[in-house]
Amino acid sequence: MVPARLAEGNGITTERLSLRPVAPENLPDLIRLKADEAAFGLMLHGTRSPERAREELEDDMEFWLVRGYGTWAVFERGTGEFLGITGLMERPDGRGVAVRFALWPSCRGKGYAREAARAALAFGFRRGLARIVAVAWEGNHASRAVLTDLGMTECDRFQYRGREMLVFEAFPPG
């Protein structure tokens, strides 16, 4: 279980959103989100089983303790409704720390992904990260638009499971 001090000191409030480090009470929402093809199908390794979602939650909580950043559960401030996740995670392919986001399809077109990912990027730079990357499938125009709107620039490409993947990067402002 994540200590209360961890969640309290690492939460983020934006104009419309509340981002809280993932915690055990988020597991039911994470299981639903990560099993939904429309919400999670384009994420690295695709949708997850309930058991895998639980394992990832444990890993995400440990990552917070070790790194001081990680995955947040994203909530709409006005309603408290769970919208999805955003976060900063070390990519398994060695490309670096990446910003990621996955929200319910009903959130699309409302700017929630931009708002959440922008907050995650700013948090990472305040924590001293010198570079943050993101990876999006070439055909995922919505995610690509979010990343470019955040000021991230394309810096590389690679093939993954027959798809052209684009790598974006951002550096601290200033």
Side-chain angles (χ1 to χ4, degrees):
M1 177 173 258
V2 175
R5 69 184 186 290
L6 177 63
E8 291 169 12
N10 295 303
I12 302 171
T13 301
T14 68
E15 182 181 341
R16 300 178 298 159
L17 304 174
S18 175
L19 284 60
R20 291 175 274 204
V22 291
E25 61 265 25
N26 303 127
L27 183 58
D29 287 327
L30 294 171
I31 287 172
R32 287 190 354 265
L33 180 75
K34 291 183 175 193
D36 187 287
E37 181 67 32
F40 224 76
L42 293 177
M43 297 297 282
L44 185 64
H45 308 301
T47 58
R48 313 299 205 263
S49 68
E51 179 59 25
R52 184 67 190 134
R54 184 191 61 73
E55 291 168 359
E56 286 181 351
L57 173 60
E58 291 172 1
D59 291 345
D60 288 344
M61 291 186 307
E62 180 68 23
F63 195 87
W64 269 106
L65 293 172
V66 171
R67 297 293 185 101
Y69 54 85
T71 300
W72 291 270
V74 178
F75 299 90
E76 203 279 323
R77 283 181 59 195
T79 64
E81 177 185 358
F82 174 79
L83 302 180
I85 60 170
T86 192
L88 299 166
M89 296 300 295
E90 188 74 34
R91 283 198 47 90
D93 58 15
R95 287 187 165 82
V97 175
V99 65
R100 65 183 194 148
F101 47 89
L103 286 81
W104 291 116
S106 62
C107 295
R108 292 182 183 148
K110 298 178 182 176
Y112 290 135
R114 280 174 184 81
E115 192 170 331
R118 181 173 282 116
L121 277 175
F123 185 97
F125 291 138
R126 283 193 309 273
R127 288 293 165 103
L129 295 175
R131 175 179 178 257
I132 298 175
V133 300
V135 174
W137 169 50
E138 185 177 44
N140 187 344
H141 299 287
S143 287
R144 290 173 54 195
V146 168
L147 298 173
T148 56
D149 284 354
L150 295 175
M152 299 187 84
T153 57
E154 186 180 336
C155 64
D156 197 9
R157 293 172 173 250
F158 66 97
Q159 289 287 319
Y160 180 74
R161 295 185 178 178
R163 289 185 172 174
E164 183 80 4
M165 305 302 289
L166 307 180
V167 181
F168 295 80
E169 65 184 356
F171 300 92

